Amino acid sequence: GDRVLVALVCRLERAVRLGDTVARLGGDEFVLVCRVEGRQHAQLVADRVLEHVRSPYTIGEHEVELTASIGIALGADARDAAGLSIGIPADFLPADLLRDADVAMYRAKERGRARAEVFDDSLRTRLLTRTETEQALRRALERHEFELVYQPIYSLDDGALTSCEALLRWRRPGHGLVLPGEFIEAAEVLGLIVPMGAWVLREACRQFASWQCADPGASQFTLSVNVSPNQLVHPEFVSSVRSILAETGVAPELLSLEMTERALLGDLVGALLALDELRDLGVSVWLDDFGTGYSSLEYLKRLSLDGLKLDRSFVSGLATDPADEAIAGAVITMAHALGMAVVGEGVEHVEQQHRLAHLACDYAQGFFFARPLPAGAFSEQILGATARATA
């Protein structure tokens, strides 16, 4: 790897002109500072770099092929020459230019790698939005801006309520109710996901315990809470779960923790240790959004999970797409063979419910049954209906 990097530096030096600068930031990231006459000129330099990087490398007896993703940020002179309308603050610093190039580089990666992208107004808006979100997130927890909603999960065998999933929402001032997809990644980057996750688990368990006290029938269903990868491998996570269960009085066997396949990609050893401790505690563990990640089937055998949640992308095509039905059926059969239950996510039509039942899926959730509801509405509409049906 070191020899490849040395060879790469030689290529980069040949790709630029005398007087330009090539510097290594660290790892496999480099910065090229070049005098250009505008956007088109910068693109030509980037294309030349990509061409030099792309040629095979001979390292000893091995031949190595590389590609690069390039982000371009233009300084004031180059922007003027290009006639770009990006508004540049008066206190703009070289570090800001480096940050802009970094943002553009990540857009190049998102769009398929082995390409160059120029930082422009759309990326500046995106960057400003991300910065504003991060600043607001830092204050959201202490200002009590987060809240939970609950979505029921039903048995496909007899239609009984079997569980409810606690889902996080952010009531951000001036923005209304914000879904997790718009802020969870930022929370992870900022290191806020651990205290945020602890708040979610404590609040969900507190509400669940309240339902159990108010209605003996509530003990017939369980609580499901999502866990992020950074939470799972945090040294204090399992002890935090144990403490919250003791504090709220919720029995461990009534709590299920859901994680995505992404939780396995980083620290697999740490994830396995945490899952073993959770099982010893008596807590159930489920794999969420199954089929959308990158974990191998080997992980399913090693993890000894309690269940899988079949992603909505496969459920949506049931009764209309034979491929989706074949995949869903194969996942359900495999899970049952491994001793795991299956929840079908995102059920929106009665046909999808019928097909899941035909495929022997155990449980289902989705808008067909109920949208996520605040605690009060869940008590009245879901638990109330269950109590009336039982009576």
Side-chain angles (χ1 to χ4, degrees):
D2 289 340
R3 292 166 68 186
V4 170
L5 288 174
V6 170
L8 173 61
V9 169
C10 294
R11 300 277 187 91
L12 295 178
E13 289 177 332
R14 290 202 299 270
V16 299
R17 299 167 303 182
L18 187 66
D20 293 338
T21 299
V22 177
R24 183 186 178 203
L25 280 182
D28 61 350
E29 288 193 353
F30 295 83
V31 174
L32 280 64
V33 183
C34 309
R35 180 165 292 281
V36 295
E37 298 174 1
R39 180 173 182 151
Q40 187 175 6
H41 187 187
Q43 186 69 56
L44 289 173
V45 174
D47 290 343
R48 189 164 64 245
V49 170
L50 289 172
E51 184 179 349
H52 277 74
V53 170
R54 192 179 294 120
S55 300
Y57 299 75
T58 301
I59 308 295
E61 299 177 355
H62 305 281
E63 188 171 271
V64 180
E65 294 186 0
L66 302 179
T67 60
S69 299
I70 299 178
I72 301 170
L74 300 173
D77 292 344
R79 278 192 298 273
D80 292 341
L84 295 179
S85 61
I86 301 176
I88 306 300
D91 58 349
F92 193 80
L93 299 172
D96 298 323
L97 198 63
L98 187 62
R99 176 204 61 201
D100 292 351
D102 191 57
V103 172
M105 181 188 69
Y106 276 97
R107 183 161 73 171
K109 290 184 176 182
E110 291 171 0
R111 292 186 171 181
R113 301 175 180 268
R115 58 186 294 135
E117 293 286 341
V118 179
F119 188 86
D120 55 18
D121 282 334
S122 66
L123 277 181
R124 181 169 295 283
T125 300
R126 178 175 165 184
L127 179 61
L128 291 174
T129 300
R130 188 181 74 182
T131 302
E132 291 172 359
T133 299
E134 291 176 353
Q135 292 173 345
L137 263 179
R138 293 183 186 277
R139 303 186 296 267
L141 196 58
E142 61 188 50
R143 294 182 178 180
H144 309 290
E145 294 173 2
F146 293 118
E147 57 188 65
L148 296 181
V149 292
Y150 301 85
Q151 187 173 38
I153 300 173
Y154 291 95
S155 168
L156 286 171
D157 182 36
D158 58 11
L161 175 68
T162 60
S163 184
C164 72
E165 181 179 0
L167 299 165
L168 180 62
R169 300 290 186 265
W170 178 17
R171 193 166 294 280
R172 184 178 175 185
H175 293 262
L177 207 58
V178 183
L179 299 179
E182 299 181 43
F183 63 86
I184 287 297
E185 184 178 346
E188 290 181 338
V189 170
L190 293 172
L192 299 174
I193 197 66
V194 171
M196 188 184 299
W199 178 87
V200 170
L201 182 59
R202 179 174 286 102
E203 178 63 19
C205 286
R206 184 199 62 75
Q207 181 59 63
F208 186 72
S210 175
W211 283 331
Q212 287 186 306
C213 292
D215 180 7
S219 62
Q220 298 174 6
F221 74 101
T222 61
L223 171 67
S224 182
V225 178
N226 293 284
V227 174
S228 80
N230 290 345
Q231 269 184 281
L232 184 65
V233 298
H234 191 274
E236 303 299 323
F237 176 65
V238 177
S239 61
S240 174
V241 173
R242 184 183 295 108
S243 174
I244 290 172
L245 290 174
E247 173 188 327
T248 58
V250 173
E253 61 270 19
L254 296 181
L255 175 63
S256 296
L257 297 179
E258 298 181 13
M259 64 175 185
T260 63
E261 296 173 69
R262 191 164 62 90
L264 308 176
L265 296 180
D267 183 359
L268 177 59
V269 174
L272 290 172
L273 291 173
L275 294 178
D276 284 341
E277 291 185 63
L278 289 170
R279 276 192 292 271
D280 291 342
L281 188 58
V283 172
S284 299
V285 180
W286 287 63
L287 196 59
D288 195 13
D289 300 333
F290 183 78
T292 61
Y294 303 95
S295 65
S296 70
L297 298 181
E298 175 69 17
Y299 288 163
L300 296 182
K301 183 176 69 175
R302 295 179 62 184
L303 292 173
S304 301
L305 297 163
D306 294 280
L308 306 175
K309 301 191 81 171
L310 182 65
D311 187 70
R312 65 181 65 246
S313 60
F314 301 113
V315 174
S316 64
L318 294 180
T320 60
D321 188 338
D324 280 350
E325 186 145 344
I327 292 172
V331 169
I332 293 167
T333 300
M334 175 193 65
H336 288 168
L338 294 172
M340 292 181 280
V342 180
V343 172
E345 295 182 296
V347 177
E348 297 184 354
H349 308 290
V350 67
E351 292 85 359
Q352 294 167 350
Q353 178 197 21
H354 289 163
R355 295 314 300 165
L356 284 172
H358 176 75
L359 294 171
C361 186
D362 304 283
Y363 312 104
Q365 71 181 110
F367 290 176
F368 173 73
F369 303 102
R371 291 177 177 271
L373 298 166
F378 188 91
S379 299
E380 181 180 344
Q381 298 178 30
I382 307 301
L383 297 184
T386 301
R388 289 190 292 273
T390 302

